[in-house]
Every structure is written in structure tokens, then in C-alpha cells.
Amino acid sequence: MIRNPRDIQRYNASERANHWVVGICFILLALSGLAFFHPAFFPLTQLFGSPTWTRILHPYIGVVMAVFFLIMALRFARLNYIAQRDIEWLKRVGEMVNGDDHNMPEQGKYNGGQKMLFWGLVLGMSLITITGVLMWRSWITVPVGVIRVASVVHAAAAVFMIGLIIMHVYAAIWTKGTIRAMLYGTVTRAWAKQHHRAWYRQVTGDKR
Amino acid sequence: MALQSLDIKRRSATTTPSPQARETLEVAKLIDVSACIGCKACQAACMEWNDIREEVGTNVGVYDNPNDLTAHQWTVMRFDEVETDDGGLEWLIRKDGCMHCEDPGCLKACPSPGAIIQYSNGIVDFHEENCIGCGYCITGCPFNVPRISKQDGKAYKCTLCSDRVAVGQAPACAKVCPTGAIQFGSKEKMKEYAETRITDLKERGYDNAGLYDPAGVGGTHVMYVLHHADKPALYHNLPKDPTISPTVSLWKGITKPLAMAALGAAALGSLFHYVMKGPNEVSKELEDEMEREDERLRALEKEDAK
Ligand code: HEM
Ligand code: SF4
Ligand code: SF4
Ligand code: SF4
């Protein structure tokens, strides 16, 4: 497919690479973590070589993800400050989910839902990283009471974030023309105008 | 399992019932703290029978040697000097090690199927070949017993000499104790024997003598006769009312299947949303508008080129 030269750039190459490093790490962490989370998922350890390898690798992958997530979060944080129009959008999210976006308020580069996801992930990542390090017996020894709380919080944060990511991935699949933003970096003008009109105006100078 | 003495009644990270048809006699080890002279013969016997040796360490000013349980030291004599109310001194010696809880926190926490098992005779055993070295057993244990080996990254602890018990022998430590402070037999018999010891101690003025078989963990298969059963903490911080920590129960309890159901619902809900509401596409109107704009610009370009 020859893409239209008038398409709009949404992510540059470095932002895309950063996002995929975090995404791949997250999937590996979710698969390896779920293996310990419940016996039903224990066979997932075979994906990582063996159960013991899964236990060894998980925290190291976690450290890689934490570093790249931090970089990504710093890059995107300013675009995710919550504004009045995001609150309006969130109040009417029901209409959106119902498949009718005609009356949704105009959105900037990110809509209210995306911003909530961003801050939810910032919270979840902070919790899961701190607790994960506390649980890392190969390197760290802390009192057992701390490890117990860390274990619960780590598991809860993991479920919370896996839930958020299911929604995140689904939203990208549901909204046609979105995934290419993270693959080639561009979206069509029509896509931008429909879903993020304020951003569309800002980058194109189009007043309509 | 071929040997009835090794029938397994509970297995870590396993959600279906283990074989239960055969009923095995519940066993227990009874440690009479009041009869222990601290000779450490049991410690030596444990090392001998199990072929484990801890490296020689440094003395930190107490008789405990080594200073703590390790992957190579499954039992340690704990020495405590306690001043009595009337100004006297008591030297309390407790043989520390796995209590073989009826409701074992280690087994509850372990994520690896079959790494921790409980025989139908009550012994809790680690099967290191299935152990992944995560240390969750340490997190789950109310008695701070399991240790991860620096050599192989697996968890170890007292086996209650399950290999000896399986063939009708008493544990090595019980076999070797010169004062008879360590007894081994059916749990029922051990409780009866403990009663006679407690009566004796009470006659000798230890009014609070009693059996340590804490109900919070469903009772244990290693029990103590204590002269001060009202104050177990005197014996190197033996917990008064041990239970699996509520935090561990929250972590390992009903929350897990609920969380999994929630995630499953999120995934399935997404699929059905797509099927029922359809994709969120860019409107035809906008697409046509952009198409016209593209055409217009292309025409302009051509004109410029001329
Ligand atoms: C810096 C990041 C992270 C670190 C250092 C870390 C570390 C750990 C450690 C040490 C364990 C215990 C098992 C083991 O030793 O391998 C664990 C368990 C687990 N981790 Fe992580 N982790 C991190 C990120 C994540 C992420 C992003 C997820 C999920 C998407 C996750 C999900 C889990 C789950 C579900 C468990 C099992 C919890 C349970 O047994 O209930 N972790 N993690
Ligand atoms: S004392 Fe600790 S290691 Fe031993 S059976 Fe009880 S919970 Fe498990
Ligand atoms: S360290 Fe081994 S025995 Fe202990 S909980 Fe992990 S897998 Fe189970
Ligand atoms: S029962 Fe066996 S393994 Fe346990 S302390 Fe005694 S000798 Fe050691």
C-alpha cells in the first residue's frame, strides 16, 4: 500500500520503538507472572525454557520494562494532563462505548479515556516495580512482613494493569486505523479529524 | 504412591483433590524442652542422616551453632537465658526447625505444582526437583523455617526424616537423643505421653507447663512440651498463636480465581462488544471530504508543474 503523503505523523520512530519495548516486556511479564499467579497458568512456564528459568527471568525483564516505561512516561506525561474537556468526554463515555461518537466533545492528541489509562499505568507500574524488587529474593532481603504485603500488592497491581492493557489493546483494534500509528507512525487526516479533532486542527492548521 | 506410608494428601499449586481413600496414621514428634540438655546430638544426627554440612561460621556470643537454620542445617538448638521473677536464671533450650503444620503456610504459598507435599501421615516435605526457587514458602511460613540454598537455588527444610518414617523408623534426631527429650510416634500417642510429662512438671512446680500444638495452623506434627506454655515467646520467640498470616491468605485465597474471572470477562467482553457494536470506523463523510481535498491539491500540483 502506498500511504498518502498528506497523512499525519503521530509517533516518531524512537517513540514507536520505545512503546514496543515496553509492550513486548509487558506481555512476557504477564505470561511469566500469571504462571506463578495461579496453577491453571503454570504451563506458561514452558514458554520461558523451564519453571525455574521463568522465575529467574521475570524480574530482569521487569527491570528492562521499568526503565523503558519511565522514559516513555516522561515523554508522554505532558500530553496527558487532564483538562476540562477530558472530564466532559469521560462523562459521556457511555455513548462512545455504545458506538455513537457524534456528540462526543472534541479531543486533543489523547482523549479522556486514554489519559486515564496513562495515569492508571503510571500508578500500576510504580507499585509493581517497587513491590517486584522487594520480592526479588536473589538480590534483596527485607522483613517477611514487607514481602507479604509486597506480594499481595504485586499480584493486585498485575491484575489491574493486565485489565487496563486488555482495554488498551481492544480500543486500538476497535478504532480502525489506529494500530498503524504505532506501526508506521502515521494516521490519516480523516482519522485524526474524527477522533482527535482539536489535535487535527493544531497540527494541520485546518480551521474547520 | 506405592507405599502407603508415602501417600500424599496435599500438593502445592494443585486444584484437584489428592488420593484419599486410604487412611494413614498421623504421626508426630514430641520435643520435651524440659528434658533437653542442649547436647546437640540431634543436630549431629540430622547432618549425618541427611548428609548435609553447613560451613563453619563465626561465633556471635551465643551457643546457637550455626546461628540460624540454613539450607544445610535443618535444625538448630536455640539457647535463651531468661531471668525469672524471683531473680533466678533459667536456661531454656529449644530445638528449632520445621513444625510440620497440619495447615502449612509454605504449601499454601508455593506456586509450583508438587514442590511441597503433605503426606497423609501429616509430614510436610519439599520435593526440590519441582522447586523453582521463588521463596514464596518463606513468605508463607509462620515459623520462618524454609531456606533457599545458595548452591542450587532450591528451598530446603527438615523432612521429619520422611524417608525413615516411610519404612517404620523414627527420625534420626529422635533415635539419637540421649535423654529421651525427642519422642516419635502416632500423634495421639504423643499427646498422651505429653500429658504424663505435663503432670510431672506441674507436680514439680511448673504450674503453666503445657503442650504446644497450636490450633491456628491446625495443630503441628512437631509438638513441644514447654514448662512455660503460657509464654512460648521465652523460647526464642516461639509464636504464641501462630496462623498463616492474613496477608498470605488474602494473596493466596479466593481473590485469585475472582481476579482471573475478571480478566477473562474483560477479554470476552471486548470480543462481544466488537461483534455486537461493530468497529469504530472513520465516517464515510470525513473520508470523502479528505479524498476531495487530496484531489484538489493534486490538481493544483499538476498546474504548478505546467
Ligand atoms: C520491575 C518490574 C517487576 C519486577 C522486578 C518483578 C518481580 C517479580 C518477582 C521477584 C516475582 C516473584 C517470582 C519470581 O521470583 O520470579 C514476581 C511475581 C509476579 N509478577 Fe512480577 N515483576 C515485575 C513486573 C511485573 C509486571 C509488569 C507484571 C504483569 C504484567 C508482573 C506480574 C507478576 C505476577 C502475576 C506475579 C505472580 C504473583 C503471585 O504469585 O501472585 N510483574 N514478580
Ligand atoms: S513450619 Fe513452616 S515450613 Fe514447616 S510445615 Fe509449617 S509452614 Fe511449612
Ligand atoms: S521456593 Fe520452591 S518450595 Fe518454596 S515456594 Fe518456591 S517453588 Fe515452592
Ligand atoms: S526429623 Fe530428621 S530431618 Fe528433621 S531435624 Fe530430625 S533428623 Fe533432621
Side-chain angles (χ1 to χ4, degrees):
Chain A
M1 167 183 120
I2 300 167
R3 270 173 271 130
N4 190 331
R6 293 182 67 241
D7 286 347
I8 304 173
Q9 168 116 24
R10 197 161 160 85
Y11 297 109
N12 66 31
S14 142
E15 286 166 338
R16 268 145 39 214
N18 191 339
H19 177 269
W20 282 106
V21 171
V22 174
I24 291 166
C25 288
F26 187 90
I27 291 168
L28 293 177
L29 284 162
L31 292 173
S32 54
L34 284 174
F36 309 131
F37 184 78
H38 193 276
F41 293 128
F42 196 76
L44 290 173
T45 55
Q46 294 308 320
L47 297 174
F48 298 84
S50 75
T52 303
W53 272 116
T54 312
R55 185 271 300 168
I56 295 170
L57 291 174
H58 176 97
Y60 290 102
I61 304 172
V63 170
V64 174
M65 184 202 63
V67 170
F68 281 88
F69 180 81
L70 180 66
I71 299 171
M72 186 167 82
L74 291 175
R75 284 175 135 166
F76 293 159
R78 281 192 47 193
L79 292 163
N80 282 283
Y81 292 163
I82 309 263
Q84 188 55 39
R85 66 171 169 219
D86 301 317
I87 295 166
E88 281 306 308
W89 189 94
L90 285 168
K91 280 187 189 151
R92 306 174 75 148
V93 72
E95 291 171 38
M96 181 86 195
V97 173
N98 210 20
D100 174 16
D101 64 355
H102 278 90
N103 302 316
M104 295 306 281
E106 238 178 63
Q107 293 296 293
K109 184 161 185 183
Y110 297 116
N111 66 38
Q114 289 171 304
K115 291 182 182 179
M116 294 304 287
L117 174 97
F118 177 85
W119 295 112
L121 287 177
V122 167
L123 173 72
M125 287 286 184
S126 312
L127 288 175
I128 212 157
T129 304
I130 294 165
T131 55
V133 169
L134 292 174
M135 289 165 76
W136 200 356
R137 287 190 184 265
S138 317
W139 296 107
I140 311 267
T141 313
V142 292
V144 70
V146 176
I147 300 183
R148 284 176 182 153
V149 174
S151 304
V152 180
V153 174
H154 195 79
V159 170
F160 170 64
M161 277 204 295
I162 294 171
L164 285 182
I165 292 302
I166 289 175
M167 292 197 320
H168 174 62
V169 172
Y170 176 66
I173 296 173
W174 180 56
T175 310
K176 293 291 148 196
T178 302
I179 291 177
R180 53 175 286 175
M182 262 310 157
L183 288 174
Y184 343 118
T186 57
V187 290
T188 64
R189 289 186 169 232
W191 184 95
K193 191 166 179 184
Q194 168 139 343
H195 301 301
H196 299 278
R197 191 159 294 189
W199 176 67
Y200 168 79
R201 288 218 192 88
Q202 188 196 332
V203 289
T204 60
D206 186 342
K207 294 285 175 312
R208 285 171 296 164
Chain B
M1 197 60 72
L3 285 177
Q4 178 173 3
S5 51
L6 291 177
D7 269 359
I8 290 167
K9 78 167 167 191
R10 224 184 308 188
R11 206 171 167 270
S12 56
T14 304
T15 42
T16 50
S18 293
Q20 349 224 307
R22 295 197 289 203
E23 275 209 21
T24 317
L25 193 69
E26 247 187 275
V27 297
K29 179 164 83 179
L30 181 72
I31 301 168
D32 181 356
V33 170
S34 69
C36 175
I37 55 172
C39 69
K40 301 182 184 169
C42 52
Q43 243 183 266
C46 181
M47 293 161 69
E48 277 289 312
W49 175 256
N50 294 297
D51 288 316
I52 42 174
R53 300 285 184 278
E54 182 53 48
E55 270 177 42
V56 176
T58 40
N59 189 305
V60 296
V62 291
Y63 278 89
D64 309 20
N65 177 19
N67 304 322
D68 196 8
L69 297 168
T70 73
H72 296 106
Q73 190 69 52
W74 300 346
T75 186
V76 166
M77 307 310 293
R78 305 288 199 176
F79 295 78
D80 281 283
E81 289 160 32
V82 176
E83 271 184 62
T84 55
D85 295 337
D86 53 10
L89 183 79
E90 272 190 317
W91 206 17
L92 304 178
I93 309 165
R94 174 167 73 87
K95 179 183 182 299
D96 194 7
C98 175
M99 300 297 287
H100 295 272
C101 312
E102 179 56 26
D103 187 9
C106 56
L107 190 150
K108 182 168 192 162
C110 177
S112 182
I116 303 183
I117 50 102
Q118 185 175 38
Y119 299 114
S120 52
N121 62 15
I123 295 178
V124 179
D125 216 349
F126 285 11
H127 281 179
E128 278 82 11
E129 69 276 16
N130 295 329
C131 170
I132 63 172
C134 62
Y136 285 11
C137 46
I138 309 174
T139 308
C141 173
F143 295 96
N144 182 22
V145 166
R147 295 290 184 272
I148 304 272
S149 160
K150 289 190 189 73
Q151 215 172 352
D152 58 20
K154 311 276 179 204
Y156 292 88
K157 67 164 191 68
C158 160
T159 63
L160 205 62
C161 287
S162 54
D163 48 353
R164 292 176 59 89
V165 174
V167 294
Q169 292 283 315
C173 52
K175 182 101 178 173
V176 81
C177 179
T179 68
I182 309 178
Q183 299 285 323
F184 182 80
S186 75
K187 177 144 183 179
E188 188 131 352
K189 266 265 195 52
M190 289 300 108
K191 278 178 157 174
E192 278 168 26
Y193 176 72
E195 270 321 305
T196 66
R197 291 297 306 134
I198 291 160
T199 314
D200 179 55
L201 283 167
K202 284 193 172 154
E203 274 166 13
R204 292 201 277 138
Y206 290 106
D207 293 337
N208 295 315
L211 180 67
Y212 187 81
D213 177 24
V217 291
T220 52
H221 297 272
V222 171
M223 304 182 293
Y224 292 110
V225 170
L226 304 175
H227 3 37
H228 308 292
D230 56 328
K231 289 182 224 150
L234 292 180
Y235 305 86
H236 207 86
N237 287 325
L238 188 61
K240 187 168 172 67
D241 209 356
T243 52
I244 296 178
S245 152
T247 324
V248 173
S249 300
L250 176 69
W251 174 37
K252 287 286 164 174
I254 183 75
T255 42
K256 291 224 156 166
L258 288 181
M260 282 166 58
L263 290 182
L268 275 177
S270 301
L271 176 70
F272 280 96
H273 179 263
Y274 197 90
V275 173
M276 290 165 75
K277 299 285 177 192
N280 178 12
E281 273 167 316
V282 176
S283 70
K284 185 84 178 72
E285 197 184 318
L286 265 177
E287 252 167 16
D288 290 349
E289 178 194 321
M290 294 300 169
E291 193 86 14
R292 281 197 301 277
E293 187 68 13
D294 285 354
E295 294 287 332
R296 194 175 65 80
L297 286 172
R298 234 172 283 152
L300 274 179
E301 257 171 49
K302 265 195 201 142
E303 211 131 291
D304 279 355
K306 267 188 214 160

